Amino acid sequence: MPLITSNMPETWQELEEMVAAILLECGMESTRTVNLKLPRGSVDVDVVAKETNDGIQNLIICECKNWRTNVPRDIVHAFRTVMNEIGANRGYIISRVGFQAGAYEAAEATNISLVTFQEFQEHYFTKWYKTRVWQIERNISNFNVYYEPLGRPGYGHLATDEERAAYDAVWEKYAYAGLIMWKFSPYGAMFGELEAPELPLSYDKIEKMGFAIPADIKDLTGYRELLERLEVIAEEGLVELRKVNPITRGMDPSEIDRDE
């Protein structure tokens, strides 16, 4: 199973931030360092996530241990108490390196999963990937239409060679991003399973077409980092493409439905 990110947290703060971000990008409400009320007081929980399915809300809590030693049994016992008292549906203790044998015994037959950060990513990869590519599609779908086989939006309405040259220059500037994004299109699996392309990607075909891939793109080996970078580039590209598209030129972005 592939991993969501190629980055490894160095501190406990980074571990909490990355766990919370992954759950948020899975479509959940996700918050760090939450104080939860218990029948006999309160407790601070590293990450709390809420997910609603068919009107039913599930509560997920995560304890993040960025220790360089295996997590012992007593941590699991304390976490079990918190889980029971707040009525959480699922709990994760996420370790940097692993767990002692007694910890696994304490978690048996419970709704607690003991995982490394890598295993946590594997558990959520499919959900994260499906949610993330649809999020991006909704955000930048108008950028993608400029690189569809049907043709460039508004190009036929250009009146002069100068306008066409200006449009071509912007289109070619962002063509590499448009072609890469096709590899992550959720529409490619409308009638089958949505699968992530294997990383690192091969850019040979795009480069043979004459489009250079920036070095910072080629160096990325994590899905989270690559998709985040491409989304930013696509947002920038859409602004520039709309300036040379005679249909959208000068329009308020909020008034544009599709750039076709």
Side-chain angles (χ1 to χ4, degrees):
M1 177 67 72
L3 299 180
I4 295 170
T5 176
S6 59
N7 295 335
M8 287 299 296
E10 293 298 325
T11 66
W12 62 268
Q13 294 97 330
E14 289 180 356
L15 178 58
E16 289 181 13
E17 289 170 359
M18 294 172 78
V19 167
I22 286 171
L23 294 175
L24 181 67
E25 291 164 6
C26 282
M28 306 181 197
E29 297 178 35
S30 178
T31 312
R32 280 187 62 208
T33 316
V34 180
N35 184 266
L36 298 176
K37 301 298 181 183
L38 301 179
R40 296 181 298 278
S42 63
V43 63
D44 288 331
V45 176
D46 293 340
V47 179
V48 174
K50 297 177 182 178
E51 181 179 31
T52 302
N53 292 317
D54 298 325
I56 300 174
Q57 187 178 84
N58 291 318
L59 179 64
I60 300 168
I61 65 173
C62 302
E63 183 82 2
C64 300
K65 298 298 184 186
N66 200 47
W67 300 348
R68 298 183 184 276
T69 57
N70 290 338
V71 175
R73 177 199 299 263
D74 61 319
I75 296 297
V76 180
H77 282 310
F79 193 65
R80 283 175 60 177
T81 299
V82 173
M83 288 280 295
N84 292 334
E85 293 194 358
I86 67 174
N89 302 93
R90 168 62 59 184
Y92 294 93
I93 300 179
I94 303 165
S95 167
R96 179 187 180 94
V97 294
F99 300 85
Q100 294 180 7
Y104 286 109
E105 294 172 359
E108 286 182 0
T110 72
N111 53 351
I112 298 171
S113 296
L114 308 183
V115 293
T116 63
F117 183 54
Q118 291 92 329
E119 290 167 340
F120 176 78
Q121 292 181 67
E122 291 172 355
H123 182 86
Y124 276 102
F125 181 84
T126 299
K127 182 179 183 65
W128 175 88
Y129 183 75
K130 289 180 178 179
T131 305
R132 189 73 180 99
V133 294
W134 276 112
Q135 287 172 345
I136 292 173
E137 176 63 28
R138 287 190 291 270
N139 290 342
I140 64 162
S141 60
N142 276 329
F143 173 80
N144 291 337
V145 301
Y146 284 90
Y147 298 96
E148 291 176 350
L150 296 177
R152 309 178 193 184
Y155 198 83
H157 296 275
L158 296 171
T160 68
D161 289 341
E162 289 75 13
E163 286 184 334
R164 283 184 282 273
Y167 192 123
D168 291 344
V170 176
W171 188 90
E172 290 171 5
K173 178 181 177 181
Y174 293 97
Y176 74 90
L179 295 171
I180 295 173
M181 288 306 301
W182 272 102
K183 298 177 182 292
F184 298 98
S185 172
Y187 292 108
M190 291 296 288
F191 304 103
E193 187 66 25
L194 180 58
E195 295 183 358
E198 186 176 346
L199 296 186
L201 293 175
S202 171
Y203 299 108
D204 291 347
K205 289 183 179 180
I206 297 175
E207 290 178 320
K208 287 178 180 178
M209 295 170 67
F211 304 116
I213 311 295
D216 67 330
I217 295 289
K218 297 180 76 170
D219 291 342
L220 294 174
T221 58
Y223 291 92
R224 188 166 186 259
E225 293 74 37
L226 178 58
L227 287 172
E228 183 177 62
R229 182 75 183 105
L230 289 171
E231 185 176 19
V232 170
I233 293 168
E235 288 172 346
E236 295 173 352
L238 182 59
V239 172
E240 293 196 35
L241 286 161
R242 282 176 167 172
K243 290 179 182 178
V244 296
N245 181 350
I247 297 175
T248 59
R249 187 188 300 144
M251 289 183 63
D252 186 319
S254 64
E255 298 175 354
I256 302 172
D257 181 23
R258 291 277 285 182
D259 286 30
E260 298 168 294

